[in-house]
Amino acid sequence: MKHFHFILSVFFISLFSLFCINAQALDKETTTTTTSISPEGNTVIKEVKKTTRVVTPVPTAKEVIAAPQGSISCFRVEEGWFNDIWVPTHQVCQYENTSEGEIWVEGYWGCNKATPAGVCTNWEWKAGHWEKKLVVY
């Protein structure tokens, strides 16, 4: 009888572990669906894109440069993929009438290589910089 209970316990522990692993994997993957209509108006085009969320902790900033004074607004950009780089949450400030640009982007570590499990294998530093226009992503 002890052998039966042992096998039953192993079965339930394995089943529980499987559910936990699947729940964790769901948190790492994002699905984006875009629907558009062809120029002729007769075809619906549906694009489904799956992306993996990077779960590796972001390294400590190389340098912290305060946003230049005179901004009209500042806000946080949420983490996500942009131009094949995983960009962590960072601050962006908007300006008017500056020769440098309209947007100041806070420095951040971007991940340009990640495993399917969301582990970053290569971080690159992107120093604080000016952008001519606000890019929404």
Side-chain angles (χ1 to χ4, degrees):
M1 192 68 158
K2 286 184 179 181
H3 185 67
F4 172 75
H5 286 239
F6 175 74
I7 292 174
L8 189 61
S9 297
V10 169
F11 172 75
F12 282 116
I13 290 171
S14 299
L15 191 61
F16 179 73
S17 298
L18 179 64
F19 285 127
C20 290
I21 291 169
N22 282 341
Q24 188 179 17
L26 288 174
D27 187 40
K28 294 178 190 172
E29 190 172 274
T30 303
T31 304
T32 306
T33 304
T34 306
T35 305
S36 58
I37 299 175
S38 68
E40 298 80 30
N42 59 359
T43 306
V44 174
I45 302 164
K46 187 174 182 178
E47 178 184 342
V48 178
K49 182 178 181 182
K50 288 189 177 188
T51 55
T52 301
R53 182 176 175 273
V54 171
V55 295
T56 309
V58 179
T60 304
K62 252 189 181 181
E63 61 183 353
V64 178
I65 300 173
Q69 295 207 357
S71 66
I72 57 173
S73 70
C74 292
F75 55 93
R76 305 291 294 164
V77 174
E78 292 301 314
E79 64 186 16
W81 289 99
F82 181 68
N83 291 338
D84 295 325
I85 304 284
W86 174 261
V87 179
T89 301
H90 61 283
Q91 181 175 282
V92 171
C93 292
Q94 213 167 359
Y95 296 80
E96 286 182 337
N97 303 325
T98 65
S99 59
E100 293 91 348
E102 280 185 21
I103 304 297
W104 172 259
V105 181
E106 175 183 56
Y108 59 84
W109 284 102
C111 177
N112 60 14
K113 291 182 186 167
T115 68
V119 176
C120 182
T121 57
N122 192 54
W123 291 101
E124 65 180 22
W125 176 250
K126 180 73 171 172
H129 61 280
W130 287 98
E131 294 283 341
K132 294 295 180 190
K133 297 283 180 192
L134 176 64
V135 176
V136 179
Y137 58 93

